[in-house]
Amino acid sequence: MDSAIDIDLAIRDVDILTMADEEIIKNGEIGIVGDEIKFIGHKVIPSDARIKNEINGSKMVAMPGLINCHTHAAMTLFRGYADDLPLMEWLNEKIWPLEARLKAEDVYYGTLLACVEMIKSGTTTFADMYFFMDEVAKAVEKSGMRAVLSRGLIGVAPNAKEALEESKEFVQGYNGAADGRITAMLGPHAPYTCPPEFLKEVIEVAGILDVGIHIHVAETLSEYEEIMKKYGKTPVQHLNSLGLFEVKTIAAHCVHLSDEDIAVLAEKKVGVAHNPKSNMKLASGIAPVDKMIKSGVDVGLGTDGAASNNSLSMIEEMRFAALLQKVAAMDPTAVPAYAALKMATVDAAKVVGLEGKVGKLAQGFKADIILIDFDKPHLYPHHDICAHIVYAVSSADVDTVIIDGKVIMKNRKLLTLDEKLVADKLEYSAKQLVKTSHF
Ligand code: NI
């Protein structure tokens, strides 16, 4: 009887950063069966295995696909439309009026373009909060990416009840969709846009549907002060007193925190999505990342939307995360390269609720793998792979992207999407939106 194993995809002669630890496996190999990593290490693929497809990984580094813990993908539509403004003026006068005019098709192409950009910069999973989420799900399905999707809910809006109903339907229809690549959550926007009664309803629904919550928390000092004034508690303690952290939570930003807040985030296992570039651009402040990590809080990285960044590259986000903490603490040892890498991979997986599935290259994990081309002048000599990825690699060095065992990009060519067509459609949508706007 023939007992030889079938390998759907083998990557050979590749240096591997597994993110299980800092060690690099030199000239290793990875064997993928279906959507999973079956073999990883030195000469681990059985010699009689039947290899269906093979990639030569020479001069490349394989690592887990990057995980963007907080974004609003379709906001690519507004990239470069309104810059250099304070957060509330930016939202009230520029972004929200345009968002009120969004149509389903705009969100579809906005998200597809975001997927193109994310794949080309090595991101394989993203956590999104937006509107028209069935369009977002369609884009995720087509692109081949993995995503954690939540419909944004503004509790003070007149349609808040309907939006929560719509969220329920979305969760029921899409949780586990796209061969399990889509996970659904609920997305109450923030404590300052969602009153306590509304948040309590959301928490109840999350419990019934057994899904997580994705919310902005303590992004600006004005939010911190407003919540303190209204409820006599910090945003973190206000949400905790409502019972929100009993539900698996992605808390985006967490810039303004007391020491007690940090203890609550650690104790309740809240996943924090740190967005250094957005926080810098909107001058929201510097999140106490080093302190949070040392206190045992799970911190992942996010780009936030392309309108407040203005890039969706997680490679840039890692770099800014490390540099910002160093200069903030006046300490070059704060957030070293490997810590920044963890925030974009293994710790990010915990933040978005996919721990044990993605974020690490190990047997039994999903085959979400990127190959970075190290045969580039700006990457020689190869002293320290981790430092290079955080401080020297650019998005354009990402050569190959594999998600759920499928090759999504090879030699920088996207295999699931027509890049030019998506860009043209997005450009048309964005121009129409601005043209019809009265603002
Ligand atoms: Ni955001």
Side-chain angles (χ1 to χ4, degrees):
M1 210 178 91
D2 181 11
S3 62
I5 188 165
D6 287 318
I7 304 277
D8 293 307
L9 178 63
I11 308 168
R12 308 260 207 194
D13 194 20
V14 69
D15 291 347
I16 306 168
L17 172 62
T18 64
M19 291 309 296
D21 54 44
E22 289 186 59
E23 288 303 307
I24 306 287
I25 301 172
K26 288 276 184 192
N27 303 313
E29 56 186 19
I30 302 171
I32 298 165
V33 176
D35 58 359
E36 274 184 17
I37 297 171
K38 183 86 179 165
F39 301 99
I40 181 161
H42 277 292
K43 299 195 168 57
V44 281
I45 298 177
S47 54
D48 63 346
R50 277 184 297 262
I51 313 276
K52 291 187 186 162
N53 290 292
E54 187 165 324
I55 292 175
N56 175 2
S58 146
K59 298 205 172 157
M60 305 241 203
V61 171
M63 68 170 289
L66 304 173
I67 300 169
N68 186 344
C69 296
H70 176 72
T71 190
H72 315 281
M75 289 185 85
T76 49
L77 288 157
F78 312 129
R79 179 175 9 230
Y81 170 68
D83 296 279
D84 310 324
L85 295 170
L87 175 67
M88 289 326 293
E89 190 184 332
W90 177 76
L91 281 175
N92 284 320
E93 291 174 27
K94 296 288 182 178
I95 298 301
W96 283 342
L98 271 196
E99 282 185 337
R101 316 181 74 86
L102 280 175
K103 297 184 299 299
E105 201 189 41
D106 301 325
V107 172
Y108 178 67
Y109 286 110
T111 308
L112 265 192
L113 186 84
C115 291
V116 170
E117 184 183 355
M118 287 191 277
I119 294 165
K120 294 195 88 175
S121 50
T123 296
T124 52
T125 297
F126 68 103
D128 198 60
M129 179 201 289
Y130 215 56
F131 320 104
F132 296 105
M133 293 312 290
D134 36 2
E135 299 296 322
V136 176
K138 259 167 55 186
V140 169
E141 168 121 52
K142 189 168 170 56
S143 70
M145 288 190 78
R146 194 181 300 284
V148 180
L149 306 180
S150 51
R151 190 217 190 276
L153 298 166
I154 309 283
V156 291
N159 72 341
K161 287 260 176 212
E162 290 95 304
L164 185 54
E165 276 308 309
E166 212 182 276
S167 284
K168 276 193 218 172
E169 283 167 28
F170 177 74
V171 169
Q172 285 158 346
Y174 288 95
N175 201 15
D179 301 323
R181 284 184 284 114
I182 293 176
T183 316
M185 284 191 174
L186 299 178
H189 173 261
Y192 64 94
T193 52
C194 295
E197 286 314 308
F198 182 74
L199 284 174
K200 280 185 191 162
E201 263 184 78
V202 173
I203 295 163
E204 199 190 319
V205 173
I208 293 166
L209 297 174
D210 193 23
V211 292
I213 286 179
H214 187 169
I215 185 169
H216 297 87
V217 183
E219 180 173 1
T220 61
L221 194 56
S222 64
E223 172 193 339
Y224 188 91
E225 285 166 351
E226 185 187 325
I227 299 294
M228 277 296 264
K229 205 168 142 200
K230 255 191 188 157
Y231 308 110
K233 296 187 180 84
T234 67
V236 165
Q237 284 162 48
H238 167 60
L239 295 176
N240 192 34
S241 72
L242 294 173
L244 192 120
F245 300 146
E246 304 310 316
V247 177
K248 159 74 201 162
T249 303
I250 304 176
H253 299 297
C254 292
V255 174
H256 300 279
L257 302 174
S258 67
D259 287 348
E260 207 184 326
D261 291 346
I262 294 177
V264 168
L265 295 172
E267 190 211 321
K268 295 291 180 182
K269 299 245 164 277
V270 175
V272 170
H274 171 48
N275 304 263
K277 282 183 74 190
S278 175
N279 295 159
M280 289 170 83
K281 187 156 184 274
L282 293 166
S284 301
I286 303 171
V289 170
D290 220 21
K291 209 167 180 180
M292 280 194 273
I293 293 173
K294 283 173 183 151
S295 307
V297 180
D298 293 328
V299 184
L301 288 177
T303 58
D304 215 352
S308 65
N309 187 309
N310 295 356
S311 145
L312 299 177
S313 164
M314 286 292 294
I315 291 171
E316 279 193 22
E317 214 64 43
M318 283 193 283
R319 185 168 308 152
F320 275 78
L323 298 182
L324 179 59
Q325 292 300 313
K326 290 175 198 304
V327 75
M330 289 299 277
D331 174 5
T333 69
V335 185
Y338 190 69
L341 279 162
K342 279 175 74 182
M343 284 197 276
T345 54
V346 62
D347 291 349
K350 291 182 199 166
V351 171
V352 302
L354 294 173
E355 188 181 7
K357 286 191 181 135
V358 297
K360 210 160 42 168
L361 301 187
Q363 194 182 35
F365 273 62
K366 297 288 179 194
D368 287 12
I369 304 168
I370 61 172
L371 299 181
I372 301 175
D373 183 359
F374 266 60
D375 190 17
K376 296 283 181 81
H378 58 277
L379 299 178
Y380 281 104
H382 297 166
H383 284 312
D384 185 333
I385 300 294
C386 292
H388 270 15
I389 297 170
V390 175
Y391 301 123
V393 157
S394 86
S395 298
D397 302 330
V398 177
D399 180 88
T400 295
V401 173
I402 297 157
I403 305 174
D404 219 31
K406 295 196 177 62
V407 181
I408 303 295
M409 181 173 83
K410 192 162 185 204
N411 303 330
R412 289 206 64 70
K413 189 179 166 24
L414 280 173
L415 303 177
T416 51
L417 299 170
D418 180 337
E419 211 178 306
K420 168 121 182 47
L421 180 79
V422 173
D424 287 349
K425 292 275 192 186
L426 177 286
E427 179 77 9
Y428 178 79
S429 269
K431 288 273 163 65
Q432 289 298 112
L433 273 170
V434 173
K435 208 193 295 178
T436 54
S437 164
H438 298 297
F439 293 88

